[in-house]
Structure formats: C-alpha cells, structure tokens
Amino acid sequence: MPRNTTAVAAFAVAVLSVAGCSGDGGEDAARSSDPSAGTPASLSASPSVSPPGGLPSPTPPPPPPPAATDAASASITAPSGGSPSPVPTAGRQQKLVTMTVSGGFAGVRQEVILRGDGTVRTSDKGDAEVRRAGAAEFTRLRTLLGDPALDDVPASTVDRNAADLFQYTLRFDGRTVVTDRSTERPPLDRLIDALSEWLPA
C-alpha cells in the first residue's frame, strides 16, 4: 500500500510538470504570432513631422534701382518737345525783325520794324507811326522769330510768272528771306501774318 501511494504521487508530479511546460509554450507562441507583442513603444510609433506649410514664405528682395548711367542716357535721348523759345532782346536799338511789303497792281510799299524794347514802327508810303506791343503780343512775336523751323525756309520763294503778287522781304537773325507766298512756308507764313496785323489797313 505505501508503494502504490508513492507511485501515484510521482505520476501526478510528472503530469503537472508536463502541463506547466505546455502552458508556457502556448503563451510564447501567442506572443510570437502577435507582431505588436514585445515591440517597444518607442519603435512601434513613427515620429510625426509637422509640414513647413505653417511658416510664411520668404519675401523676395526688391529689384535693384536702375544705374545712374541709364538715367543719364534716358535724359539725353528724351525728346525736348520742340517748343520754340522767344528770341532774346537787347533794348531799343535792336531790330528783331524788319518786314517790307511791296508790289501788287497799286504799287504798295509798307514796312514793319519790331525793336528789342517792344516798340513797333510802321510806315506806309512815307507815313510812319510808332506803337508799343503788349507783353503777351511781344512774347508771341519773339516766339515766332525763335521757331527753329525758320532755319529750313529758303532765302527766296518767288513765282516769276505771277507779277501781281505782293512780295515780302524779311530781315531777321542776320539773314534775308524773300517770298511772294506762292508756296506755303508755315513758320514763315505765321510770322508774316502776325507782323501784317500792324500794317495800316
């Protein structure tokens, strides 16, 4: 009887030992089948990286100012506008312009002299008269005389086949211009028209 008890006890210990080993192996197998089991938390979570979109984009630098040489060349090549300037004056003794009108069927001979002090002397067949131009009129006459286009007017524009036309002889700026107005010369025609306003009717 004691021997049988001892044998049963030994068999029970052996069964329990086998059961314990199989239980530990099951847990190990379960751990190995779970891919997240046994993985450190620091490795399982990937670090998050915030995108740079929240930051303001850098402002591009302003373009450099134009070089001084470019500004200088622009001022040189820019057109001046071409506006004539009034001719300068030098007092009463200066004759800015003299215009003589002659010819026609009646044998007209009239003269207008504009002086540097603004006085205008007119004569008609010997009868002379001196008047003074106003400031605005004097400036207008001087501006007509300062028109650069007058330099292109030829010294003589006369139709020899038209004997009945008036002949205008103008002396200004050291030159003499003769025309019968048979050909349009706009800068000269404007000057003649302005001076003719002073002639006797």
Side-chain angles (χ1 to χ4, degrees), residues 24-88:
D24 294 339
E27 291 179 1
D28 293 341
R31 290 194 190 100
S32 62
S33 62
D34 186 358
S36 62
T39 304
S42 59
L43 297 179
S44 61
S46 60
S48 60
V49 179
S50 58
L55 298 176
S57 59
T59 303
T69 54
D70 295 340
S73 61
S75 63
I76 293 174
T77 56
S80 60
S83 300
S85 301
V87 295

Side-chain angles (χ1 to χ4, degrees), residues 80-87 142-154 172-173 175 186-188 190:
S80 60
S83 300
S85 301
V87 295
R142 291 166 50 218
T143 302
L144 292 173
L145 284 167
D147 191 344
L150 286 173
D151 296 337
D152 299 328
V153 174
F172 60 93
D173 196 24
R175 58 183 301 212
L188 185 62
R190 287 192 292 268

Side-chain angles (χ1 to χ4, degrees), residues 116-201:
D117 63 346
T119 57
V120 181
R121 182 184 184 276
T122 60
S123 63
D124 183 12
K125 294 182 180 180
D127 296 332
E129 183 180 3
V130 177
R131 290 172 288 173
R132 181 176 294 276
E137 177 64 14
F138 188 40
T139 300
R140 182 173 77 100
L141 292 171
R142 291 166 50 218
T143 302
L144 292 173
L145 284 167
D147 191 344
L150 286 173
D151 296 337
D152 299 328
V153 174
S156 179
T157 307
V158 177
D159 184 359
R160 302 298 180 184
N161 298 322
D164 59 335
L165 295 179
F166 291 118
Q167 184 169 294
Y168 299 83
T169 302
L170 292 92
R171 297 177 179 86
F172 60 93
D173 196 24
R175 58 183 301 212
T176 300
V177 176
V178 181
T179 180
D180 59 4
R181 308 190 72 173
S182 57
T183 302
E184 291 185 0
R185 306 290 182 185
L188 185 62
D189 291 340
R190 287 192 292 268
L191 179 59
I192 292 174
D193 289 341
L195 293 174
S196 297
E197 295 175 3
W198 293 88
L199 291 174

